[in-house]
Amino acid sequence: MTLLKEFILPRFAQWLIVIFVGVTITFIIPRLSPVNPVTETLARMQMYQNIDPEAVQAMRATLLDLYGLEGSVLEQYVNFWKRVLKGDLGPSLASFPLSVNQLIGVSIGWTIGLLGTSILIAWTLGMTLGSLAGYYPNRWWSEGLEKSLITVYPVPYYILAFVLLMAFTFYLPIFPLIGGARGTAAFTWEYISSVLYHGFLPALSIVIGATAHRFIMAKALTTTEKSSDYVQYAQMAALPQRKILFYYVTRNTLLPQVTDLSLSLGALFGGALIAEFVFGYPGIGTTMYTAINNGDYNAIMGITLLSIVGIATASLLIDLIYPLIDPRVRYR
Amino acid sequence: MANDVLRATIRDLFRFSLSFRFGSIILMIVGILLLLSFFSPFESDDRRVVPRNKPPSQEFILGTTGSGQDGFWLLTFAIRNTLMVSGVAVLIGRSIAVMVGMLTGYLGGKTDRVISSIVDSIIVIPRLPLLILIAAIMQGEMTVLSLALLLGILDWAHPSKRYRAMILSLRERDFTHTAIFSGMNALKVVVQEHLPFLIPLLLADAVAGFLWAIGVEVTLSVLGLSDLGTPSIGTLIFWGNYHHALLRRRVWILAAPIAASVLMVVGFYLVSLSLSEYLDPRTRLSRLTMEE
């Protein structure tokens, strides 16, 4: 019972607070805008045709209702919460008959496939290389690796992706410029291979950036850990180096790394907006980008909300399983 | 006194740290480019002053753009604006962070718990979608200054936690108690006694802020969400893409801002790397033993 009361409940409360604050912010910001989406939509409709003023009034009322802009701000806020709690993110303002839920449903699979895979690959790769380079800091390969990754790490992701795009679709056209796959979705080798082929370049760009970050962190942690007494003891006891590194040193550096992994997996629901934009990948980031261009506030808010819930949940989960990963972390 | 220490530190860094040497040389080149913008023969919004779409030549080192601007001088303006945006953002962000960090760290107790849990909530809110949301709403009204302000307001939560941790440990030191017992008020203790300890951390942190701000500036501009009329690294790339510079084989229009941004961030990062290495007591120890 104390476990529930003193460990789980506070963290759960924190999770609720985070989501509450996040939802409130996503609610407030569009309403600070001088742009009124209803007027915008009406103006768009009246651009090419004359509409009866009465019909315009009726349409205005319908649109206000549809967009959840009826009544005072407080009423809107309460209604917004009611809708969100039901899991309904409202209608999409730009691609109207579709709801935001449907928009997200179509694209989320692509994002999870692309980002999930590349995050896992980058994490494993960065951890392994970083631990090795931290354990053997003076080898030629570890110095070379460090120098090149340090140069790549600070480069803005967009620049990295754009240079890859230029190199491998334009100057050396071996990868497709846009799209997620060719043909209709089916469980055939042809379709799956085209998914892999289309996903390779965006995945590569994400993997390079994320691996550099992971490598630098893993190397720093391993360097610190290596100077511990138990490592010297193990070395004097002539344990195999591989065993010291991967069974003792790496395990001790795992905690912050697992936190990071879970947070980046949680951030997955926000999509890799830039990656998907650059490579024309049909994921949730592209949906977000289209929504921004069309002034589709409902879709923007829905996706932002989803990514807030994703990250908050990931950090809740990681908090809860900390003691399982590292017995040194005792819950208070 | 303080000047001597600073000079000695920089001399040490230059002598012992390869990354500081490289980083500061790169930053110096960037700085010279920035200063050159003040001597540009053209204004940043002069159009059709030179022949259009000329590849790099002796007359135009970085070629000319589709709207008849000289690539080189345009780049100097872009560097200036991008650095200005990130500089203001870093200044605002770190000021808020220092204030929040000092407040929560020094006061402790209930204030600390309330503010810290708000900070924790702000940290998990994904910044890029939020920024894009705000920028989309402000579309057309975004200026260089408002972008800088926006970036600053969004980049303080993480550093404030680091400063808080630092102040928390300083609060328990003897000199804090001495200061309190000799009648200093809380504000004075924090500003006069604790702030100097934060400065090294602040320096390394400022660089991280620069990296983030430059990245976001480029990202927002490329998406067409910043002030597209003002040249910056991001807007140069945006206009290059807009006029299909790649497909029309006018790669110099894109290559210049890309190269400049890579130079800038790598320079900043190398300097910050050497700084944090220098500030780390463990490496300082090994450096001392090496000197003997």
Side-chain angles (χ1 to χ4, degrees), chain A residues 14 17-18 21-22 25-26 29-35 146-147 150-156 158-159 162-163 165-166 170-171 216 220 223-224 227 263 270 273-274 277 288-289 292-293 297 300-301 304 307-308 311-312 315, chain B residues 18 116-118 120-126 128-130 132-134 136-139 141 211 214-216 218-219 222-225 233 237 241 246-249 251 254-255 257-259 261-262 265-266 269-270 273 277 282:
Chain A
Q14 174 77 29
I17 292 173
V18 165
V21 172
I25 290 179
T26 26
I29 286 170
R31 278 161 183 79
L32 294 177
S33 129
V35 185
E146 193 186 3
K147 286 207 175 75
I150 276 179
T151 321
V152 172
Y153 169 67
V155 174
Y158 172 79
I159 303 279
F162 189 57
V163 169
L165 183 82
M166 271 164 75
F170 189 72
Y171 288 108
I216 289 167
T223 312
T224 317
S227 57
L263 284 183
L273 198 144
I274 310 304
F277 167 73
M288 179 84 158
Y289 181 67
I292 291 167
N293 271 348
Y297 296 136
I300 300 175
M301 272 159 63
T304 313
S307 56
I308 290 174
I311 293 189
S315 72
Chain B
L18 193 68
S116 289
S117 73
I118 295 176
D120 283 343
S121 325
I122 291 175
I123 282 179
V124 293
I125 295 175
L128 191 61
L130 193 67
I132 290 171
L133 181 63
I134 299 173
I137 287 162
M138 289 177 65
Q139 212 155 27
E141 289 160 54
L211 294 184
I214 292 173
V216 175
V218 170
T219 307
V222 163
L223 295 174
L225 292 170
I233 298 290
I237 299 176
N241 280 336
L246 202 57
L247 295 178
R248 291 182 180 160
R249 302 264 168 191
V251 75
L254 291 170
I258 289 177
S261 70
V262 171
V265 292
V266 171
Y269 185 64
L270 286 180
L273 209 64
E277 211 167 86
R282 271 168 299 136

